[in-house]
Amino acid sequence: MGNGGRSGLQQGKGNVDGVAATPTAASASYQYRCIECNQEAKELYRDYNHGVLKITICKSCQKPVDKYIEYDPVIILINAILCKAQAYRHILFNTQINIHGKLCIFCLLCEAYLRWWQLQDSNQNTAPDDLIRYAKEWDFYRMFAIAALEQTAYFIGIFTFLWVERPMMAKKKPNFILLLKALLLSSYGKLLLIPAVIWEHDYTSVCLKLIKVFVLTSNFQAIRVTLNINRKLSFLAVLSGLLLESIMVYFFQSMEWDVGSDYAIFKSQDF
Ligand SMILES: [Zn+2]
């Protein structure tokens, strides 16, 4: 799929479309990264006079530092969905995407809606109408808070593991702010929860499990790319996040605050 864009790539003086949208080479040195080998780079392209632009070639791997700057956003998105490390590096290091906060809130709303919907399914209330409406609204806020707390537990699990394991990593200090941003951005798969619930069918619970696996895979790749660590460490980090999240889910379920959501990996049977 990515080959459509690749054929348009010329390592010479090709015209780059949408130049205004791409970040310009700023005076700050080494603020970009080569998407192929993760080497730091001063600029993504050089602007010669008369609108002639040349994509910078990485000194370390001799490939373009960021071929994606002349790709269509849809192709970049497809590459990100395929969990390609290059696409992740492009998005995290070479663009100034700043939607992680809003995306996080929106994902939590999706998750809260899913839990709330499953709660409605399991509840057959006989209370008066007004009371039901009030209780339902309250339920939604409660589900939002629980989803947020479980998400926080998941992140704390990941961060704690990585903090303990930081001597194992490269000599550079891990950038945990960037990691948080990467984790929030790579959780975009949760947006699929809404269509999965709206188009309800026999396989909804399978869909929800697959969405969970997709989100975890994206998180795994985001950690690997952001900190430039090996697959094993990244996998263990996601696993520790899941472990802490499961403890939180177990706690909420034993308090009978939460429903056993099909989306969660952990679901107590006796609830
Ligand atoms: Zn390189």
Side-chain angles (χ1 to χ4, degrees):
M1 274 179 218
N3 290 345
R6 194 187 298 250
S7 61
L9 182 83
Q10 289 175 349
Q11 295 190 7
K13 47 182 189 217
N15 284 328
V16 180
D17 290 331
V19 170
T22 60
T24 48
S27 54
S29 59
Y30 303 121
Q31 65 169 126
Y32 301 115
R33 295 279 185 94
C34 169
I35 62 166
E36 306 289 344
C37 67
N38 205 40
Q39 184 72 33
E40 289 178 330
K42 225 184 284 186
E43 55 190 8
L44 298 181
Y45 56 84
R46 183 159 288 183
D47 191 356
Y48 294 99
N49 287 335
H50 316 297
V52 177
L53 299 165
K54 192 181 170 195
I55 288 189
T56 310
I57 301 297
C58 174
K59 289 186 184 77
S60 156
C61 66
Q62 308 304 320
K63 287 178 185 165
V65 168
D66 192 344
K67 61 183 181 186
Y68 285 118
I69 57 169
E70 57 172 11
Y71 276 34
D72 194 74
V74 176
I75 292 180
I76 298 171
L77 181 67
I78 291 170
N79 279 270
I81 290 171
L82 293 172
C83 287
K84 285 197 175 178
Q86 287 95 331
Y88 274 71
R89 286 196 192 103
H90 166 77
I91 294 167
L92 292 171
F93 297 125
N94 299 343
T95 64
Q96 265 109 40
I97 289 184
N98 236 346
I99 54 162
H100 48 285
K102 286 175 199 157
L103 188 68
C104 171
I105 300 288
F106 204 68
C107 288
L108 285 176
L109 283 173
C110 292
E111 233 182 290
Y113 177 75
L114 167 74
R115 287 150 192 260
W116 180 77
W117 173 77
Q118 286 177 331
L119 189 73
Q120 304 309 307
D121 248 19
S122 60
N123 268 2
Q124 292 304 325
N125 224 323
T126 51
D129 273 358
D130 276 356
L131 215 62
I132 291 179
R133 212 171 298 133
Y134 176 75
K136 278 183 176 175
E137 196 184 325
W138 169 241
D139 277 343
F140 186 80
Y141 298 139
R142 186 167 55 114
M143 291 302 145
F144 183 85
I146 288 172
L149 284 173
E150 284 175 15
Q151 165 107 60
T152 311
Y154 173 66
F155 285 162
I156 289 175
I158 290 178
F159 280 91
T160 310
F161 174 82
L162 291 172
W163 190 76
V164 171
E165 289 291 320
R166 72 194 186 288
M168 295 272 291
M169 288 177 227
K171 50 263 163 210
K172 270 188 79 178
K173 218 175 91 206
N175 185 346
F176 282 138
I177 307 261
L178 184 68
L179 179 64
L180 182 64
K181 181 182 167 183
L183 283 172
L184 291 175
L185 278 178
S186 62
S187 301
Y188 66 96
K190 288 182 186 174
L191 300 178
L192 296 170
L193 290 174
I194 292 288
V197 169
I198 289 176
W199 293 304
E200 186 191 356
H201 49 72
D202 294 346
Y203 301 108
T204 300
S205 65
V206 178
C207 280
L208 296 178
K209 288 272 184 256
L210 286 176
I211 292 170
K212 182 79 182 181
V213 170
F214 176 67
V215 170
L216 291 177
T217 314
S218 304
N219 288 162
F220 159 82
Q221 189 71 318
I223 296 171
R224 197 168 81 85
V225 163
T226 314
L227 302 179
N228 198 24
I229 56 177
N230 59 37
R231 287 188 173 84
K232 191 182 122 204
L233 268 183
S234 182
F235 178 76
L236 289 175
V238 171
L239 214 61
S240 359
L242 265 184
L243 187 72
L244 204 63
E245 190 190 355
S246 301
I247 293 171
M248 202 72 153
V249 172
Y250 178 76
F251 170 74
F252 284 135
Q253 285 185 9
S254 61
M255 299 291 279
E256 304 208 347
W257 287 349
D258 193 11
V259 283
S261 169
D262 282 325
Y263 173 68
I265 290 284
F266 175 79
K267 184 181 179 182
S268 73
Q269 295 303 315
D270 54 344
F271 184 72

